[in-house]
Amino acid sequence: MTQRTLSDGEALFRIQEASNELYQVVSGKIKCNIYSQDGTEVVIGTLLSGETFGEQGLIDELPRATNTYSVGDSVVNVLSKRHFFRLNHKHPEINTQLLIMFSHRMRVAFEVNTDNLTLPLHQRLARCIYRIVLNQSSKMAQNNELEITISHADLARMVGVSRQSVSKELKQMEREKLICIQYGKIVINNMDALSKAYHDAN
């Protein structure tokens, strides 16, 4: 792998571009998004340190399905398509791990879609925050605190409502002492309650 440094807002790849590389986040954050026909941004997810992405396009040889942008300054490891297949040929067990990863991502995508179709906003938002917390668990273990760095606008795009609606629900969660809202981040006061909201909706 080689390393590539991205500045805030810089695109790593855009939708419909050729898939020639896979990536691993070294530091910073990478946001994946698409835009609706009316220009509304839809946030697919945010990738953090240690996460790998972009391998699907190498396997199915189809163009990129999303845009990816750096949130703040970021550093990513880059593996070319040629080196990926050389590595895959040398270590065929990689295929098993890829299948497990793809299966997990499909389950999460199905859950999110089901949530958006069937649950009220307060449950969707609690489950969205819960997933983000779990996704960042290794980072949080090092910092010994439960917090996520995300804007109300990005949360709104992830659950498919307006920023104002998300801010209203977050204020209610704060009154219930589940969370504490700080500038640019959310501190989790009661992970057990978030976990209950997540599992009760199943």
Side-chain angles (χ1 to χ4, degrees), residues 1-13 21-32 46-54 64 68-80:
M1 283 183 153
T2 58
Q3 281 199 344
R4 187 176 301 166
T5 300
L6 304 169
S7 58
D8 184 32
E10 184 177 352
L12 185 58
F13 58 75
E21 300 168 332
L22 70 80
Y23 310 92
Q24 182 185 49
V25 183
V26 177
S27 63
K29 296 189 294 185
I30 301 294
K31 179 172 70 174
C32 302
T46 302
L47 300 156
L48 305 171
S49 177
E51 293 191 80
T52 302
F53 62 103
R64 298 298 187 189
T68 53
Y69 297 95
S70 179
V71 180
D73 294 336
S74 302
V75 177
V76 296
N77 286 329
V78 182
L79 185 67
S80 69

Side-chain angles (χ1 to χ4, degrees), residues 13-16 31-46 63-69 153-154 157-158:
F13 58 75
R14 293 184 174 87
I15 195 166
Q16 292 301 314
K31 179 172 70 174
C32 302
N33 73 359
I34 58 174
Y35 292 93
S36 66
Q37 289 186 345
D38 64 2
T40 301
E41 182 187 19
V42 179
V43 176
I44 307 300
T46 302
R64 298 298 187 189
T66 66
N67 305 298
T68 53
Y69 297 95
D154 278 347
R157 294 182 188 109
M158 294 177 80

Side-chain angles (χ1 to χ4, degrees), residues 34 46 96 146 149:
I34 58 174
T46 302
T96 300
L146 290 172
T149 303

Side-chain angles (χ1 to χ4, degrees), residues 48-49 133 136-149 185-187:
L48 305 171
S49 177
V133 170
Q136 298 184 13
S137 59
S138 59
K139 176 184 175 183
M140 290 177 183
Q142 295 170 8
N143 295 339
N144 199 29
E145 59 184 4
L146 290 172
E147 65 177 40
I148 58 174
T149 303
K185 65 182 180 180
I186 298 170
V187 178

Side-chain angles (χ1 to χ4, degrees), residues 90-108:
K90 186 176 181 180
H91 301 281
E93 63 272 18
I94 289 174
N95 289 326
T96 300
Q97 296 304 314
L98 286 173
L99 284 172
I100 293 171
M101 183 179 68
F102 289 149
S103 177
H104 173 71
R105 288 181 178 175
M106 288 181 66
R107 285 179 181 273
V108 171

Side-chain angles (χ1 to χ4, degrees), residues 184-197:
K185 65 182 180 180
I186 298 170
V187 178
I188 313 303
N189 295 331
N190 194 333
M191 187 61 180
D192 288 340
L194 277 180
S195 177
K196 186 176 188 299

Side-chain angles (χ1 to χ4, degrees), residues 54-55 113 155 166:
E55 68 292 318
N113 188 53
L155 274 175
V166 162

